[in-house]
C-alpha cells in the first residue's frame, strides 16, 4: 500500500501517524493558571531531542471547541512548565486527566493527584509521578493556526528515590515502569525489555 499524504484528509493523516509511530512517550504536563487552579494533561506528540541544551518538545493541537488548550495557555502566560513522566501506577490518573474540563476545575482534584512544589519554576509537579522535568520555554514554533510546537529547556530533573543511581546516573529498571501511548485509549507497558549483542555507550 502506498499513500500520498497530500491527498489524505487531515484526520486520516493524524490517525496513521498516531497509530504507526508507536509507542510514544507521554509528557504529563502540570501547570497552574493565573487564578491558582492546578492543571495537568497528557501530551504524546512529545520527546526529548537534545542534551546541550537539554531540550524536549511538545506539539499542541486545538481543543475540541477550537480554543487553545489550557496547558498551552498557561505555558504561554508564564514561559515555564513541568513535564511529568507516566508509569503503570499513574496510568489511570493520566488517562482521566485528558478529559477537557472547564478551566476553573482542576484535574489534580478530579483525579486525586497531589501537587508538589517545583524547585525552579512556579508550576507544581505531580507528586505521584516517578520523574518530573522542570522546563523553561526555549522556543515556540507556530506551525499553523491549529498546531504549535513548544520546545522546553530542562532546568531540573526530579526523580523518585531509587530510579537514578546518584553516582553513575544509570536507571534502575526494576524501579522504573514507564508506559507508552499506542493510539486512542490504548497503552503499553515496558515489561518485556531485551538486549541485543554488542556494546553501545549508555
Ligand atoms: C495519552 C494522550 C496523549 C495526548 N497527546 C496530545 C498531544 O500530543 N497534543 C495535544 O494537543 N493533545 C493531546 N492529547 C489531548 C489532551 O490531553 C486533551 O485535549 C486535554 O484535555 C488537554 O487539557 P488542557 O486543556 O488542560 O491542556 C492527548 C491525550 C491523551 C489521552
Amino acid at each position: 500500500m502506498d499513500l500520498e499524504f497530500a491527498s489524505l484528509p487531515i484526520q486520516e493523516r493524524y490517525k496513521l501517524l498516531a497509530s504507526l509511530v508507536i509507542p510514544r512517550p507521554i509528557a504529563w504536563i502540570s501547570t497552574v493558571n493565573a487564578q491558582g487552579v492546578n492543571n495537568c494533561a497528557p501530551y504524546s506528540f512529545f520527546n526529548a531531542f537534545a542534551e546541550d541544551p537539554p531540550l524536549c518538545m511538545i506539539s499542541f493541537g486545538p481543543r475540541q471547541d477550537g480554543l487553545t488548550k489550557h496547558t498551552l495557555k498557561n505555558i504561554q502566560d508564564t514561559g515555564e512548565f513541568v513535564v511529568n513522566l507516566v508509569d503503570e501506577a499513574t496510568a489511570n490518573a493520566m488517562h482521566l486527566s485528558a478529559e477537557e474540563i472547564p478551566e476553573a476545575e482542576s484535574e489534580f482534584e478530579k483525579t486525586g493527584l497531589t501537587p508538589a512544589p517545583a524547585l525552579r519554576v512556579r508550576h507544581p509537579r505531580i507528586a505521584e509521578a516517578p520523574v518530573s522535568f522542570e522546563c523553561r520555554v526555549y522556543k515556540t514554533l507556530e506551525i499553523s493556526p491549529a498546531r504549535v510546537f513548544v520546545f522546553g529547556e530542562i532546568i531540573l530533573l526530579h526523580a523518585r528515590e531509587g530510579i537514578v543511581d546518584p553516582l553513575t546516573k544509570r536507571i534502575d529498571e526494576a524501579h522504573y515502569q514507564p508506559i507508552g501511548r499506542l493510539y486512542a485509549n490504548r497503552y503499553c507497558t515496558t515489561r518485556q525489555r531485551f538486549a541485543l549483542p554488542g556494546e553501545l555507550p549508555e
Side-chain angles (χ1 to χ4, degrees):
M1 174 189 262
D2 301 292
L3 297 169
E4 294 273 8
F5 262 62
S7 60
L8 290 175
I10 289 172
Q11 196 47 37
E12 287 186 4
R13 294 182 207 164
Y14 172 81
K15 207 198 256 183
L16 288 163
L17 291 172
S19 56
L20 288 170
V21 185
I22 57 169
R24 284 187 303 283
I26 301 168
W28 196 12
I29 305 182
S30 51
T31 51
V32 59
N33 71 15
Q35 288 70 43
V37 180
N38 291 325
N39 184 92
C40 65
Y43 287 85
S44 65
F45 271 170
F46 155 75
N47 218 316
F49 291 101
E51 70 283 10
D52 187 20
L55 294 180
C56 62
M57 198 276 281
I58 305 109
S59 165
F60 291 89
R63 284 170 66 91
Q64 273 159 25
D65 58 12
L67 297 177
T68 302
K69 297 214 173 169
H70 300 153
T71 300
L72 178 58
K73 202 169 157 192
N74 295 346
I75 292 174
Q76 286 171 333
D77 283 352
T78 60
E80 300 177 340
F81 58 100
V82 179
V83 168
N84 306 270
L85 300 180
V86 184
D87 61 5
E88 292 181 30
T90 50
N92 202 43
M94 173 279 297
H95 188 65
L96 282 174
S97 74
E99 200 192 328
E100 294 193 354
I101 62 174
E103 215 171 349
E105 292 174 22
S106 171
E107 290 85 359
F108 277 81
E109 281 171 27
K110 191 185 147 203
T111 58
L113 292 165
T114 317
L119 296 180
R120 296 281 178 269
V121 302
R122 75 200 72 188
H123 301 291
R125 65 179 172 84
I126 299 173
E128 288 81 359
V131 174
S132 308
F133 295 121
E134 298 184 18
C135 300
R136 266 190 221 124
V137 173
Y138 179 81
K139 194 170 281 208
T140 301
L141 277 184
E142 294 193 11
I143 302 295
S144 76
R147 190 54 68 180
V148 176
F149 288 1
V150 172
F151 291 84
E153 179 166 359
I154 300 163
I155 307 298
L156 186 135
L157 158 71
H158 175 87
R160 185 194 299 144
E161 289 306 317
I163 294 179
V164 178
D165 183 299
L167 285 179
T168 63
K169 307 296 186 294
R170 288 203 175 124
I171 303 302
D172 182 340
E173 289 192 19
H175 285 94
Y176 186 45
Q177 309 294 337
I179 61 153
R181 174 114 197 257
L182 298 177
Y183 46 86
N185 65 349
R186 297 192 47 77
Y187 298 93
C188 63
T189 65
T190 48
R191 283 183 215 168
Q192 288 188 305
R193 304 174 193 184
F194 61 95
L196 293 174
E199 294 293 324
L200 284 175
E202 284 179 39

